[in-house]
Amino acid sequence: MADDKKRDDFTVDMGDRNGKNFEPPVSPVRHSAGPVIPAVNNPIFPLLSYCVSSILMTVTNKFVLSGLGFNLNFFLLAVQSVVCVLAIQVCKSSGIITYRDFNADEARKWFPVSLLLIGTIYTSTKALQFLSIPVYTIFKNLTIILIAYGEVLWFGGSVTGMALFSFGLMVLSSVIAAWADIQYALQHHGHATEEASKSVSTLNAGYMWMLFNSLCSAAYVLGMRKRIKLTNFKDFDTMFYNNVLSIPILLVCSIFLENWSSENVNKNFPIDNRNNLIFAMVFSGLSSVFISYTSAWCVRVTSSTTYSMVGALNKLPMALSGLVFFDTPVTIPSVSAIAVGFVSGIVYAWAKVKQNSKPKTGILPTSVPPMSASSQSARDSFKS
């Protein structure tokens, strides 16, 4: 009865279905406004944020390091690490990000990676101190070559022909950049003057620090890939442990290896520019947090392929920032080096996209060689 009552209540008179007077009910027209993408999920915002944050960190570091005779590099890095830890702790307390609490066993496993990171960031500051931002950015590409062949040796990776071509472009851009720097120094100061000799010596020191930085960076990335399998760290876990473990080492190195006399402190932080330098140091620490957050944001909103392409494209504005914000000479060779370096990054990113879209193949000399018993033993001992 209840069912019959419901059917009676909801009966709709459709008219004479077999007659001519029957007209189907007209559905109301609904206008669709189309899907609305929230701003937080729009890929433009995270990609631009990543580019801006990476450029800001490089520029602020260069601003601090380009001061007259700045030599408190360990202190600079310690301040950045402290600011980074405080910032991510505030973000965690606010519910913006999440990461693991400190664990002594995990810290012990991660400590070798933190040491490699200290070597990487210290040599990076020294190289940036002696070299211009465009040259520094171009030479950073050489680290990609070391990492790629490190993956071939230790992780069974492979290098395609297109990747090899991009490596050749990276080396070529570095040679052009170094030649342009040296030629400008000789022409600007004269070939046989003391000023020219001092300028070339400064550049040579920068190239040596850049070499050390490439080696340390490759070791850090490969070592982190090894150790991250033991700890299963996420992005902010890695940032937290890297900075927490680095702070005491950086402070000890600063106290015992750097000159803390009042004369040297005043030289590094002159009265008329002290507040600006301190602000830049704090801001660079915040920029490192922003880079990590926007990196994770990019991968989440877009894809790892898009992220890798943006990383390659970001080389150009980063190099140009050195021409805009600092007194970097603009010459045809220097601009050519930036252009070749930019193209090399694009070619390498595209090579990785192509490589990930098909099964891996090994062709000498880009395939992984047969592993000897001693190599296997070394790999097993590194995991322990």
Side-chain angles (χ1 to χ4, degrees):
M1 292 292 295
D3 292 337
D4 292 337
K5 177 65 176 173
K6 290 179 181 179
R7 282 194 292 269
D8 292 338
D9 291 341
F10 291 95
T11 299
V12 179
D13 186 9
M14 303 296 290
D16 184 6
R17 302 190 183 201
N18 297 322
K20 297 180 179 180
N21 295 328
F22 172 71
E23 294 181 0
V26 179
S27 301
V29 178
R30 297 181 181 179
H31 299 281
S32 176
V36 179
I37 301 176
V40 72
N41 291 326
N42 193 320
I44 296 177
F45 292 102
L47 295 177
L48 286 178
S49 300
Y50 168 72
C51 293
V52 170
S53 59
S54 58
I55 292 172
L56 284 177
M57 184 174 183
T58 303
V59 170
T60 50
N61 277 340
K62 180 62 177 177
F63 172 74
V64 175
L65 295 167
S66 62
L68 186 61
F70 188 88
N71 53 24
L72 298 177
N73 296 58
F74 281 120
F75 177 70
L76 167 64
L77 298 176
V79 170
Q80 290 177 348
S81 294
V82 171
V83 170
C84 184
V85 171
L86 292 176
I88 62 175
Q89 185 60 47
V90 170
C91 291
K92 182 181 180 181
S93 301
S94 304
I96 300 174
I97 63 173
T98 181
Y99 56 86
R100 307 181 192 184
D101 294 326
F102 185 82
N103 180 277
D105 183 59
E106 290 179 337
R108 179 184 60 82
K109 293 178 180 178
W110 198 256
F111 186 71
V113 179
S114 295
L115 287 178
L116 291 173
L117 175 63
I118 292 173
T120 299
I121 58 179
Y122 180 77
T123 54
S124 174
T125 59
K126 297 298 289 186
L128 193 58
Q129 191 168 3
F130 292 112
L131 299 176
S132 64
I133 290 180
V135 175
Y136 171 82
T137 304
I138 292 169
F139 271 81
K140 284 292 288 184
N141 282 337
L142 298 179
T143 306
I144 297 175
I145 303 176
L146 298 178
I147 294 174
Y149 275 98
E151 289 182 341
V152 169
L153 293 175
W154 292 307
F155 298 103
S158 61
V159 179
T160 63
M162 185 180 292
L164 282 175
F165 176 66
S166 71
F167 295 163
L169 291 177
M170 292 175 188
V171 174
L172 177 62
S173 65
S174 301
V175 171
I176 296 174
W179 175 78
D181 261 5
I182 295 174
Q183 284 296 112
Y184 178 82
L186 294 176
Q187 293 175 3
H188 185 70
H189 299 290
H191 285 70
T193 61
E194 185 178 350
E195 291 288 336
S197 178
K198 186 182 297 184
S199 181
V200 172
S201 298
T202 300
L203 292 175
N204 289 335
Y207 301 145
M208 288 302 300
W209 282 113
M210 200 69 243
L211 173 62
F212 295 147
N213 177 252
S214 295
L215 294 173
C216 289
S217 297
Y220 166 68
V221 171
L222 296 171
M224 181 172 63
R225 182 173 173 182
K226 282 270 191 179
R227 288 288 169 174
I228 209 166
K229 295 179 180 179
L230 300 177
T231 58
N232 197 27
F233 277 178
K234 305 302 181 185
D235 287 341
F236 287 102
D237 298 325
T238 302
M239 175 182 284
F240 174 68
Y241 275 90
N242 274 338
N243 286 280
V244 165
L245 296 176
S246 298
I247 289 172
I249 301 173
L250 292 171
L251 288 176
V252 169
C253 290
S254 179
I255 293 171
F256 290 100
L257 299 179
E258 294 179 333
N259 184 2
W260 281 98
S261 64
S262 58
E263 180 182 355
N264 192 58
V265 171
N266 291 329
K267 178 183 177 182
N268 283 270
F269 299 97
I271 301 290
D272 57 340
N273 203 29
R274 182 170 298 174
N275 292 335
N276 292 335
L277 286 172
I278 294 174
F279 175 78
M281 293 170 71
V282 174
F283 186 79
S284 62
L286 293 175
S287 297
S288 66
V289 180
F290 201 49
I291 288 173
S292 295
Y293 182 78
T294 53
S295 298
W297 190 12
C298 284
V299 174
R300 176 171 55 84
V301 175
T302 59
S303 65
S304 57
T305 300
T306 304
Y307 174 68
S308 64
M309 291 299 293
V310 170
L313 292 170
N314 194 37
K315 299 289 185 182
L316 180 60
M318 187 177 294
L320 293 178
S321 67
L323 303 178
V324 174
F325 295 107
F326 298 94
D327 189 22
T328 303
V330 180
T331 62
I332 294 178
S334 64
V335 174
S336 301
I338 293 174
V340 174
F342 173 70
V343 172
S344 70
I346 297 296
V347 173
Y348 177 73
W350 183 247
K352 295 298 289 183
V353 172
K354 297 280 287 184
Q355 184 179 11
N356 293 333
S357 64
K358 61 183 180 180
K360 295 181 179 179
T361 57
I363 303 175
L364 291 176
T366 62
S367 61
V368 58
M371 182 172 294
S372 64
S374 59
S375 299
Q376 181 66 47
S377 177
R379 288 182 63 177
D380 294 339
S381 64
F382 188 80
K383 293 180 181 178
S384 62

PDB file of all heavy atoms in Angstrom, residues 328-351:
ATOM      1  N   THR A 328      78.423  42.133 -14.496  1.00  0.00           N
ATOM      2  CA  THR A 328      79.000  41.061 -15.296  1.00  0.00           C
ATOM      3  C   THR A 328      79.155  41.538 -16.732  1.00  0.00           C
ATOM      4  O   THR A 328      78.193  42.057 -17.318  1.00  0.00           O
ATOM      5  CB  THR A 328      78.105  39.814 -15.266  1.00  0.00           C
ATOM      6  OG1 THR A 328      77.910  39.414 -13.903  1.00  0.00           O
ATOM      7  CG2 THR A 328      78.720  38.675 -16.044  1.00  0.00           C
ATOM      8  N   PRO A 329      80.341  41.389 -17.326  1.00  0.00           N
ATOM      9  CA  PRO A 329      80.544  41.867 -18.702  1.00  0.00           C
ATOM     10  C   PRO A 329      79.668  41.122 -19.698  1.00  0.00           C
ATOM     11  O   PRO A 329      79.562  39.888 -19.646  1.00  0.00           O
ATOM     12  CB  PRO A 329      82.029  41.597 -18.954  1.00  0.00           C
ATOM     13  CG  PRO A 329      82.413  40.542 -17.966  1.00  0.00           C
ATOM     14  CD  PRO A 329      81.566  40.789 -16.762  1.00  0.00           C
ATOM     15  N   VAL A 330      79.036  41.880 -20.576  1.00  0.00           N
ATOM     16  CA  VAL A 330      78.194  41.290 -21.619  1.00  0.00           C
ATOM     17  C   VAL A 330      78.961  41.343 -22.928  1.00  0.00           C
ATOM     18  O   VAL A 330      79.123  42.401 -23.537  1.00  0.00           O
ATOM     19  CB  VAL A 330      76.862  42.060 -21.750  1.00  0.00           C
ATOM     20  CG1 VAL A 330      75.992  41.426 -22.832  1.00  0.00           C
ATOM     21  CG2 VAL A 330      76.134  42.084 -20.416  1.00  0.00           C
ATOM     22  N   THR A 331      79.447  40.189 -23.358  1.00  0.00           N
ATOM     23  CA  THR A 331      80.198  40.085 -24.608  1.00  0.00           C
ATOM     24  C   THR A 331      79.574  38.997 -25.476  1.00  0.00           C
ATOM     25  O   THR A 331      78.768  38.185 -24.999  1.00  0.00           O
ATOM     26  CB  THR A 331      81.674  39.741 -24.339  1.00  0.00           C
ATOM     27  OG1 THR A 331      81.749  38.462 -23.679  1.00  0.00           O
ATOM     28  CG2 THR A 331      82.322  40.794 -23.436  1.00  0.00           C
ATOM     29  N   ILE A 332      79.963  38.990 -26.738  1.00  0.00           N
ATOM     30  CA  ILE A 332      79.434  37.968 -27.644  1.00  0.00           C
ATOM     31  C   ILE A 332      79.805  36.558 -27.177  1.00  0.00           C
ATOM     32  O   ILE A 332      78.944  35.668 -27.157  1.00  0.00           O
ATOM     33  CB  ILE A 332      79.922  38.226 -29.084  1.00  0.00           C
ATOM     34  CG1 ILE A 332      79.314  39.528 -29.614  1.00  0.00           C
ATOM     35  CG2 ILE A 332      79.546  37.050 -29.996  1.00  0.00           C
ATOM     36  CD1 ILE A 332      79.767  39.894 -31.010  1.00  0.00           C
ATOM     37  N   PRO A 333      81.067  36.288 -26.769  1.00  0.00           N
ATOM     38  CA  PRO A 333      81.383  34.943 -26.274  1.00  0.00           C
ATOM     39  C   PRO A 333      80.599  34.558 -25.016  1.00  0.00           C
ATOM     40  O   PRO A 333      80.164  33.412 -24.886  1.00  0.00           O
ATOM     41  CB  PRO A 333      82.892  35.029 -25.991  1.00  0.00           C
ATOM     42  CG  PRO A 333      83.388  36.119 -26.869  1.00  0.00           C
ATOM     43  CD  PRO A 333      82.287  37.121 -26.908  1.00  0.00           C
ATOM     44  N   SER A 334      80.423  35.515 -24.084  1.00  0.00           N
ATOM     45  CA  SER A 334      79.699  35.178 -22.852  1.00  0.00           C
ATOM     46  C   SER A 334      78.237  34.866 -23.131  1.00  0.00           C
ATOM     47  O   SER A 334      77.667  33.915 -22.575  1.00  0.00           O
ATOM     48  CB  SER A 334      79.808  36.318 -21.841  1.00  0.00           C
ATOM     49  OG  SER A 334      79.172  37.490 -22.324  1.00  0.00           O
ATOM     50  N   VAL A 335      77.608  35.646 -24.013  1.00  0.00           N
ATOM     51  CA  VAL A 335      76.218  35.379 -24.388  1.00  0.00           C
ATOM     52  C   VAL A 335      76.122  34.062 -25.156  1.00  0.00           C
ATOM     53  O   VAL A 335      75.160  33.291 -24.986  1.00  0.00           O
ATOM     54  CB  VAL A 335      75.660  36.546 -25.222  1.00  0.00           C
ATOM     55  CG1 VAL A 335      74.264  36.210 -25.746  1.00  0.00           C
ATOM     56  CG2 VAL A 335      75.612  37.833 -24.390  1.00  0.00           C
ATOM     57  N   SER A 336      77.115  33.781 -25.992  1.00  0.00           N
ATOM     58  CA  SER A 336      77.125  32.510 -26.725  1.00  0.00           C
ATOM     59  C   SER A 336      77.237  31.330 -25.775  1.00  0.00           C
ATOM     60  O   SER A 336      76.575  30.297 -25.970  1.00  0.00           O
ATOM     61  CB  SER A 336      78.288  32.490 -27.715  1.00  0.00           C
ATOM     62  OG  SER A 336      78.197  33.556 -28.638  1.00  0.00           O
ATOM     63  N   ALA A 337      78.057  31.474 -24.734  1.00  0.00           N
ATOM     64  CA  ALA A 337      78.202  30.393 -23.751  1.00  0.00           C
ATOM     65  C   ALA A 337      76.887  30.138 -23.033  1.00  0.00           C
ATOM     66  O   ALA A 337      76.508  28.976 -22.799  1.00  0.00           O
ATOM     67  CB  ALA A 337      79.294  30.756 -22.745  1.00  0.00           C
ATOM     68  N   ILE A 338      76.173  31.218 -22.678  1.00  0.00           N
ATOM     69  CA  ILE A 338      74.873  31.066 -22.024  1.00  0.00           C
ATOM     70  C   ILE A 338      73.893  30.353 -22.952  1.00  0.00           C
ATOM     71  O   ILE A 338      73.148  29.449 -22.533  1.00  0.00           O
ATOM     72  CB  ILE A 338      74.321  32.441 -21.599  1.00  0.00           C
ATOM     73  CG1 ILE A 338      75.191  33.045 -20.503  1.00  0.00           C
ATOM     74  CG2 ILE A 338      72.880  32.319 -21.116  1.00  0.00           C
ATOM     75  CD1 ILE A 338      74.801  34.462 -20.129  1.00  0.00           C
ATOM     76  N   ALA A 339      73.897  30.737 -24.224  1.00  0.00           N
ATOM     77  CA  ALA A 339      72.975  30.131 -25.192  1.00  0.00           C
ATOM     78  C   ALA A 339      73.273  28.644 -25.383  1.00  0.00           C
ATOM     79  O   ALA A 339      72.352  27.809 -25.377  1.00  0.00           O
ATOM     80  CB  ALA A 339      73.078  30.871 -26.527  1.00  0.00           C
ATOM     81  N   VAL A 340      74.552  28.287 -25.537  1.00  0.00           N
ATOM     82  CA  VAL A 340      74.917  26.880 -25.722  1.00  0.00           C
ATOM     83  C   VAL A 340      74.596  26.074 -24.463  1.00  0.00           C
ATOM     84  O   VAL A 340      74.088  24.942 -24.535  1.00  0.00           O
ATOM     85  CB  VAL A 340      76.412  26.752 -26.077  1.00  0.00           C
ATOM     86  CG1 VAL A 340      76.830  25.286 -26.137  1.00  0.00           C
ATOM     87  CG2 VAL A 340      76.703  27.422 -27.410  1.00  0.00           C
ATOM     88  N   GLY A 341      74.857  26.649 -23.291  1.00  0.00           N
ATOM     89  CA  GLY A 341      74.523  25.972 -22.036  1.00  0.00           C
ATOM     90  C   GLY A 341      73.026  25.760 -21.887  1.00  0.00           C
ATOM     91  O   GLY A 341      72.576  24.711 -21.411  1.00  0.00           O
ATOM     92  N   PHE A 342      72.255  26.746 -22.304  1.00  0.00           N
ATOM     93  CA  PHE A 342      70.798  26.634 -22.250  1.00  0.00           C
ATOM     94  C   PHE A 342      70.308  25.524 -23.165  1.00  0.00           C
ATOM     95  O   PHE A 342      69.475  24.687 -22.775  1.00  0.00           O
ATOM     96  CB  PHE A 342      70.187  27.980 -22.642  1.00  0.00           C
ATOM     97  CG  PHE A 342      68.694  27.961 -22.787  1.00  0.00           C
ATOM     98  CD1 PHE A 342      67.878  27.813 -21.681  1.00  0.00           C
ATOM     99  CD2 PHE A 342      68.105  28.100 -24.035  1.00  0.00           C
ATOM    100  CE1 PHE A 342      66.497  27.802 -21.814  1.00  0.00           C
ATOM    101  CE2 PHE A 342      66.728  28.089 -24.176  1.00  0.00           C
ATOM    102  CZ  PHE A 342      65.926  27.936 -23.065  1.00  0.00           C
ATOM    103  N   VAL A 343      70.836  25.486 -24.389  1.00  0.00           N
ATOM    104  CA  VAL A 343      70.445  24.438 -25.335  1.00  0.00           C
ATOM    105  C   VAL A 343      70.848  23.061 -24.824  1.00  0.00           C
ATOM    106  O   VAL A 343      70.093  22.087 -24.955  1.00  0.00           O
ATOM    107  CB  VAL A 343      71.072  24.715 -26.723  1.00  0.00           C
ATOM    108  CG1 VAL A 343      70.833  23.532 -27.666  1.00  0.00           C
ATOM    109  CG2 VAL A 343      70.492  25.986 -27.321  1.00  0.00           C
ATOM    110  N   SER A 344      72.024  22.965 -24.208  1.00  0.00           N
ATOM    111  CA  SER A 344      72.477  21.667 -23.685  1.00  0.00           C
ATOM    112  C   SER A 344      71.528  21.146 -22.605  1.00  0.00           C
ATOM    113  O   SER A 344      71.243  19.943 -22.547  1.00  0.00           O
ATOM    114  CB  SER A 344      73.901  21.792 -23.128  1.00  0.00           C
ATOM    115  OG  SER A 344      73.917  22.571 -21.940  1.00  0.00           O
ATOM    116  N   GLY A 345      71.039  22.054 -21.757  1.00  0.00           N
ATOM    117  CA  GLY A 345      70.083  21.637 -20.734  1.00  0.00           C
ATOM    118  C   GLY A 345      68.778  21.148 -21.329  1.00  0.00           C
ATOM    119  O   GLY A 345      68.206  20.144 -20.874  1.00  0.00           O
ATOM    120  N   ILE A 346      68.296  21.832 -22.369  1.00  0.00           N
ATOM    121  CA  ILE A 346      67.072  21.405 -23.038  1.00  0.00           C
ATOM    122  C   ILE A 346      67.257  20.038 -23.694  1.00  0.00           C
ATOM    123  O   ILE A 346      66.399  19.155 -23.588  1.00  0.00           O
ATOM    124  CB  ILE A 346      66.646  22.443 -24.097  1.00  0.00           C
ATOM    125  CG1 ILE A 346      66.312  23.787 -23.424  1.00  0.00           C
ATOM    126  CG2 ILE A 346      65.453  21.940 -24.894  1.00  0.00           C
ATOM    127  CD1 ILE A 346      65.135  23.739 -22.497  1.00  0.00           C
ATOM    128  N   VAL A 347      68.384  19.860 -24.378  1.00  0.00           N
ATOM    129  CA  VAL A 347      68.647  18.583 -25.056  1.00  0.00           C
ATOM    130  C   VAL A 347      68.737  17.451 -24.041  1.00  0.00           C
ATOM    131  O   VAL A 347      68.191  16.354 -24.257  1.00  0.00           O
ATOM    132  CB  VAL A 347      69.947  18.665 -25.882  1.00  0.00           C
ATOM    133  CG1 VAL A 347      70.318  17.293 -26.453  1.00  0.00           C
ATOM    134  CG2 VAL A 347      69.795  19.669 -27.020  1.00  0.00           C
ATOM    135  N   TYR A 348      69.395  17.701 -22.895  1.00  0.00           N
ATOM    136  CA  TYR A 348      69.523  16.648 -21.888  1.00  0.00           C
ATOM    137  C   TYR A 348      68.158  16.303 -21.284  1.00  0.00           C
ATOM    138  O   TYR A 348      67.836  15.124 -21.090  1.00  0.00           O
ATOM    139  CB  TYR A 348      70.472  17.092 -20.780  1.00  0.00           C
ATOM    140  CG  TYR A 348      70.601  16.071 -19.675  1.00  0.00           C
ATOM    141  CD1 TYR A 348      71.314  14.889 -19.882  1.00  0.00           C
ATOM    142  CD2 TYR A 348      69.992  16.264 -18.441  1.00  0.00           C
ATOM    143  CE1 TYR A 348      71.423  13.931 -18.886  1.00  0.00           C
ATOM    144  CE2 TYR A 348      70.092  15.320 -17.435  1.00  0.00           C
ATOM    145  CZ  TYR A 348      70.807  14.160 -17.659  1.00  0.00           C
ATOM    146  OH  TYR A 348      70.898  13.217 -16.673  1.00  0.00           O
ATOM    147  N   ALA A 349      67.354  17.320 -20.978  1.00  0.00           N
ATOM    148  CA  ALA A 349      66.024  17.062 -20.416  1.00  0.00           C
ATOM    149  C   ALA A 349      65.173  16.262 -21.392  1.00  0.00           C
ATOM    150  O   ALA A 349      64.463  15.321 -21.007  1.00  0.00           O
ATOM    151  CB  ALA A 349      65.342  18.381 -20.061  1.00  0.00           C
ATOM    152  N   TRP A 350      65.246  16.616 -22.674  1.00  0.00           N
ATOM    153  CA  TRP A 350      64.491  15.874 -23.677  1.00  0.00           C
ATOM    154  C   TRP A 350      65.022  14.457 -23.833  1.00  0.00           C
ATOM    155  O   TRP A 350      64.242  13.520 -24.045  1.00  0.00           O
ATOM    156  CB  TRP A 350      64.537  16.610 -25.011  1.00  0.00           C
ATOM    157  CG  TRP A 350      63.730  15.948 -26.095  1.00  0.00           C
ATOM    158  CD1 TRP A 350      64.196  15.350 -27.232  1.00  0.00           C
ATOM    159  CD2 TRP A 350      62.309  15.812 -26.129  1.00  0.00           C
ATOM    160  NE1 TRP A 350      63.154  14.861 -27.974  1.00  0.00           N
ATOM    161  CE2 TRP A 350      61.980  15.122 -27.324  1.00  0.00           C
ATOM    162  CE3 TRP A 350      61.286  16.201 -25.262  1.00  0.00           C
ATOM    163  CZ2 TRP A 350      60.669  14.818 -27.650  1.00  0.00           C
ATOM    164  CZ3 TRP A 350      59.976  15.897 -25.609  1.00  0.00           C
ATOM    165  CH2 TRP A 350      59.681  15.212 -26.786  1.00  0.00           C
ATOM    166  N   ALA A 351      66.336  14.281 -23.717  1.00  0.00           N
ATOM    167  CA  ALA A 351      66.915  12.933 -23.789  1.00  0.00           C
ATOM    168  C   ALA A 351      66.401  12.056 -22.644  1.00  0.00           C
ATOM    169  O   ALA A 351      66.113  10.865 -22.845  1.00  0.00           O
ATOM    170  CB  ALA A 351      68.439  13.015 -23.751  1.00  0.00           C
TER     171      ALA A 351
END
